[in-house]
Amino acid sequence: MTAPERPTPRNPITRALMGWQPARVLMTANRLDVFNVLGEDACTAPEIARRCACHPRSMTLLLNACVALGLLHKEGGRYRNTPEGLELLIRGKPAYIGDGINHADGLWFRWAHLTESVRTNRAASTPSAPVDPATGYRDFILAMHNRAMRNAGILADSFDLRGRRRLFDAGGGPGTYSIFLLRANPDLHAILFDLPPAVEIAREIVAASGVADRVEFRAGNYFKDDFGTGNDVVLLSAIVHSMSPRRAKVLLRKAHDSLVSEGIVAVHESLIDDSKVAPVGAVLFSLNMLVNTGEGRSYSGSEVASWMRETGFVAPRVQHLPPAAGTSLVIGRKP
């Protein structure tokens, strides 16, 4: 007899309580490379277990959980990827998010110390992670690339850089936003600035972008090094959330010093409402910054605009990108 299906919990308390289990199943299947092992094929549990170097019994339990959660299909004892899985979980696909899932897997261990961080207002104690630090850092940079691939085109279409010649991408990570902005603006050149390990990963991504001849790489630390001079645009994308307002204003002052007259700075973030309780993703991300940095959080557009005014920019404005992007720009101008 087939057991009756349990309804999805409607109570937000019970729904939140059980939410970690589906996430853990997805992270484990992704880390074990289940989705890429399957690809376009339909395979039995023993076949998948062998290819993933796992025990067939435990792999069967994991695969059945993936089916129950809608992550895989099962027909006649064979498992296969869903259309969504083929789009999002197969390496090399434009919408691939597997690196982001691996990054979330690493964050899992810090979130386990959330109680400690709330008590102390400090980042979580460094926990044991499922991968070595170098792999974890690469997961982080490539996770940013996965995310940017979903909204960088929207940013490039929405961000008016006509007449601008030189973009300084501070903390540019994988360089994805610079790539799309250069594609949309043929006269623009970019300086991609980040820590040395990030720059090395960015070189790999930029090399295949078609705009490598208009990208200069510069390794450094944005708290220790200046941003040069003669920039038309300084982009601070997805970095101010990791720091306190005081440190964010340090970067804005460096941006101001580096810009030509009438140059602009653009802070690109998933902004939080002034109420600080919406949208839910930004609210939860504040806790992510708590356990990881101890000082960062999601900021509102009005907060970022006030920092810009304090650091010499005029007429700061918030430009919400189309909803599919899930992000906004705060843009200030140097007189």
Side-chain angles (χ1 to χ4, degrees), residues 71-86:
L71 306 177
L72 292 175
H73 287 318
K74 182 180 181 182
E75 296 174 356
R78 290 183 175 273
Y79 301 84
R80 60 182 174 83
N81 276 308
T82 64
E84 297 85 357
L86 290 171

Side-chain angles (χ1 to χ4, degrees), residues 115-262:
T115 305
E116 168 200 336
S117 291
V118 172
R119 282 188 175 134
T120 63
N121 193 37
R122 295 178 180 175
S125 302
T126 304
S128 299
V131 296
D132 66 86
T135 300
Y137 187 79
R138 186 175 180 84
D139 286 343
F140 166 59
I141 297 297
L142 292 179
M144 292 194 293
H145 178 58
N146 291 171
R147 184 171 187 267
M149 286 295 291
R150 300 196 298 276
N151 65 10
I154 300 172
L155 170 67
D157 289 341
S158 305
F159 191 15
D160 185 3
L161 294 181
R162 286 174 295 180
R164 307 289 178 178
R165 299 282 183 167
R166 186 174 179 182
L167 165 72
F168 189 86
D169 190 352
T176 319
Y177 291 112
S178 281
I179 290 169
F180 278 80
L181 288 169
L182 292 181
R183 287 174 177 168
N185 298 276
D187 294 328
L188 190 66
H189 288 69
I191 299 171
L192 185 59
F193 177 83
D194 211 322
L195 296 170
V199 167
E200 290 309 305
I201 298 170
R203 288 182 188 276
E204 301 172 23
I205 295 170
V206 171
S209 69
V211 294
D213 60 326
R214 290 191 281 140
V215 178
E216 174 188 337
F217 296 94
R218 189 177 299 174
N221 182 316
Y222 48 50
F223 289 123
K224 296 179 179 178
D225 301 310
D226 62 48
F227 294 175
T229 57
N231 299 319
D232 293 297
V233 186
V234 173
L235 177 64
L236 301 173
S237 179
I239 58 174
V240 301
H241 61 241
S242 67
M243 60 195 69
S244 67
R246 179 185 63 80
R247 285 158 71 88
K249 284 184 277 189
V250 169
L251 298 194
L252 287 171
R253 290 188 184 97
K254 289 189 176 189
H256 187 277
D257 291 344
S258 79
L259 286 165
V260 299
S261 178
E262 300 302 317

